[in-house]
Amino acid sequence: SKIIMPPNLKDGRMYYVVADEIEFPANSTTEVIGQRAIFASKIKLPKSLKYICSDALSDRRIAKITIPATVVGIGSRALYGNQLTYITIPSSVEFIDSIAFANNKLTSVTFEANSKLKHIGYEAFGSNQLTNAGLGKLPSSLTFLDQDAFRYNSNLTQITLTSPTDIDGWTNGSTVDGKTVVYER
């Protein structure tokens, strides 16, 4: 079954929807997808979205999702335990909380140019299948990176940072969680 959400939902924490596929219309004004608000394996997020709250879309068997360019924050376990193989983080995102994308099948994470990303939390991308080429360079806007942010990615051996100054705990040439730290400025 497919459900098209009403366009004027102001607070995504106020509903509980179960369907195979959920779509928000182009004129949607929804800014928040709340905790355990939506249960679907296919979802088209609204272009008005600002926050994907903790546990909003976890354990849904989602294989593909596009995060809108309006999203500012991605909460803890927001997309945990799905079947994502790649994700693009829009430049608008300022924080990715703990375990947000953990336990997927990610082989590729792309950060859009001119990123505003400042914070990546504990195991945010943990337990995936990332490689050095698949992760690429982290944005220069980053000011906090948890030392376990990429834990349990056995083929990831290097973290490439572009921050203008060293991030606390991530010294150039050091090893963090078994991964070599490299700065490219």
Side-chain angles (χ1 to χ4, degrees):
S1 65
K2 180 177 180 176
I3 294 177
I4 297 181
M5 301 296 285
N8 58 353
L9 286 175
K10 293 292 183 190
D11 189 342
R13 293 172 283 203
M14 302 305 291
Y15 53 85
Y16 177 88
V17 181
V18 179
D20 294 325
E21 187 173 351
I22 293 175
E23 183 176 320
F24 286 81
N27 63 341
S28 176
T29 58
T30 300
E31 294 183 352
V32 176
I33 302 292
Q35 184 176 19
R36 301 224 175 256
I38 293 176
F39 291 82
S41 58
K42 291 182 181 178
I43 183 167
K44 181 179 178 187
L45 296 173
K47 293 183 181 185
S48 55
L49 192 64
K50 291 186 179 177
Y51 298 99
I52 304 173
C53 292
S54 298
D55 281 315
L57 302 169
S58 59
D59 297 313
R60 306 292 192 272
R61 296 183 319 273
I62 298 169
K64 181 180 177 183
I65 196 162
T66 299
I67 299 172
T70 52
V71 171
V72 174
I74 300 172
S76 177
R77 293 179 48 97
L79 283 147
Y80 170 88
N82 283 295
Q83 297 174 3
L84 299 171
T85 57
Y86 67 91
I87 194 74
T88 298
I89 307 298
S91 61
S92 59
V93 174
E94 295 180 16
F95 71 90
I96 299 172
D97 214 343
S98 60
I99 315 174
F101 293 97
N103 202 28
N104 273 279
K105 298 176 180 181
L106 290 173
T107 59
S108 175
V109 175
T110 302
F111 299 93
E112 284 185 348
N114 302 313
S115 177
K116 295 177 182 144
L117 186 62
K118 294 175 178 69
H119 177 103
I120 300 178
Y122 173 78
E123 287 192 31
F125 294 97
S127 300
N128 277 291
Q129 300 166 13
L130 290 170
T131 63
N132 299 346
L135 177 59
K137 299 174 187 178
L138 300 182
S140 63
S141 56
L142 202 60
T143 57
F144 176 81
L145 178 61
D146 189 278
Q147 293 192 352
D148 290 322
F150 298 98
R151 191 175 199 185
Y152 304 124
N153 282 278
S154 59
N155 293 320
L156 184 63
T157 61
Q158 178 177 307
I159 302 294
T160 304
L161 298 160
T162 59
S163 304
T165 58
D166 284 8
I167 296 172
D168 190 32
W170 294 83
T171 306
N172 193 30
S174 68
T175 301
V176 176
D177 187 36
K179 297 157 187 66
T180 303
V181 177
V182 175
Y183 279 87
E184 288 185 12
R185 298 185 171 121

